[in-house]
Amino acid sequence: MLGYEKVGDHWEPKEERGPSDAHAEGGVDSPMPTAGGVDANASKGHLYQLAQQLGINGRSKMSKDELVQALQKANDAATRKARES
């Protein structure tokens, strides 16, 4: 079974199988926050490519954690927009 990650307003298969964030690694009862569908365990390069695909400004100067946060925000905005349509 493949895992999925959120890209904008939809889900796409991940490059690799495995948990997407610390919450998923800890299981359902984990107190760790979720990354909201973003594969926070992906490489910085992969996260950068997604940020580029979603048109996130300032991505070249972002750390990996900042990319995850920016992707979460962009995904949430895209989902809201899709629901309004």
Side-chain angles (χ1 to χ4, degrees):
M1 181 171 126
L2 288 176
Y4 292 85
E5 64 184 327
K6 191 151 188 198
V7 180
D9 64 346
H10 64 282
W11 295 84
E12 294 184 3
K14 293 190 322 184
E15 289 183 334
E16 296 181 19
R17 293 177 65 165
S20 296
D21 55 41
H23 178 78
E25 288 173 2
V28 178
D29 297 327
S30 172
M32 299 293 295
T34 180
V38 176
D39 186 2
N41 289 334
S43 69
K44 183 177 178 183
H46 176 73
L47 296 172
Y48 178 85
Q49 286 177 334
L50 293 177
Q52 188 174 29
Q53 181 181 338
L54 295 175
I56 295 173
N57 292 321
R59 63 187 171 266
S60 63
K61 295 181 181 178
M62 291 183 184
S63 68
K64 184 175 176 177
D65 289 339
E66 290 170 327
L67 284 167
V68 169
Q69 291 173 358
L71 287 166
Q72 285 176 306
K73 186 175 178 180
N75 288 346
D76 290 347
T79 299
R80 278 192 304 277
K81 186 175 181 180
R83 287 182 180 162
E84 292 172 359
S85 300

